Amino acid sequence: MPSTASSPRAAIRPGSGVAAAHRTVLVVDDDADAVDAIATVVEDAGYDVMRAANGREALQRLHDSEGRCDLILLDLLMPVMNGWDFRRRQRETPAFAHIPVFLMSAGAHLSVVRDELQATGCVPKPVDVAEILEVVKRQCR
């Protein structure tokens, strides 16, 4: 097995217990405070995080990273481009279609929307950052 000592991206971060730094999560939400809270917890656990305030920005982040993303945490209700439109465009783009999406929304019919959008899962808002971190750990193995 090759040594990981020469690769800082493969290094295990203190306290994380996993070699997570090579995994990237995209957090898409128009609530800047929510994005900051989620991103901080996920980054502290050793994952890379991209941030976007709406679906259009999220598509641009995916394009800029050449689709290198392991999980998308997606709000549904956003200005400019909402979660439904983002998810449609994501699924239509071969380079991004494979990336799992976890929905974050306050809607009462979240499980129905999850099925409609073929999302991996969902978390009700307000989100519990510990729950989000568990989702990230499960999805980014």
Side-chain angles (χ1 to χ4, degrees):
M1 176 184 302
S3 168
T4 59
S6 63
S7 174
R9 289 186 58 77
I12 296 175
R13 291 194 180 189
S16 72
V18 295
H22 65 287
R23 300 292 190 185
T24 301
V25 177
L26 173 58
V27 181
V28 188
D29 197 322
D30 61 322
D31 181 339
D33 292 336
V35 171
D36 287 343
I38 293 167
T40 298
V41 169
V42 172
E43 287 169 340
D44 286 350
Y47 299 87
D48 293 329
V49 176
M50 296 185 290
R51 304 166 188 223
N54 58 63
R56 185 182 300 156
E57 280 185 23
L59 289 171
Q60 186 62 52
R61 300 286 181 274
L62 291 173
H63 176 75
D64 292 347
S65 71
E66 297 176 345
R68 291 187 190 106
C69 182
D70 298 288
L71 176 66
I72 300 169
L73 300 174
L74 179 67
D75 183 24
L76 292 173
L77 301 175
M78 299 175 289
V80 183
M81 181 186 285
N82 65 37
W84 287 270
D85 292 339
F86 166 81
R87 185 68 173 128
R88 181 181 49 76
R89 296 274 306 273
Q90 179 214 359
R91 291 190 340 223
E92 291 172 352
T93 308
F96 312 148
H98 70 283
I99 303 169
V101 171
F102 224 85
L103 304 176
M104 305 181 296
S105 183
H109 302 287
L110 195 52
S111 63
V112 172
V113 174
R114 179 191 66 210
D115 293 342
E116 172 188 328
L117 295 180
Q118 300 173 0
T120 301
C122 56
V123 176
K125 279 186 162 186
V127 298
D128 177 328
V129 290
E131 183 179 0
I132 290 289
L133 184 56
E134 286 305 313
V135 165
V136 170
K137 287 179 180 180
R138 277 194 318 269
Q139 296 296 315
C140 294
R141 293 181 192 195

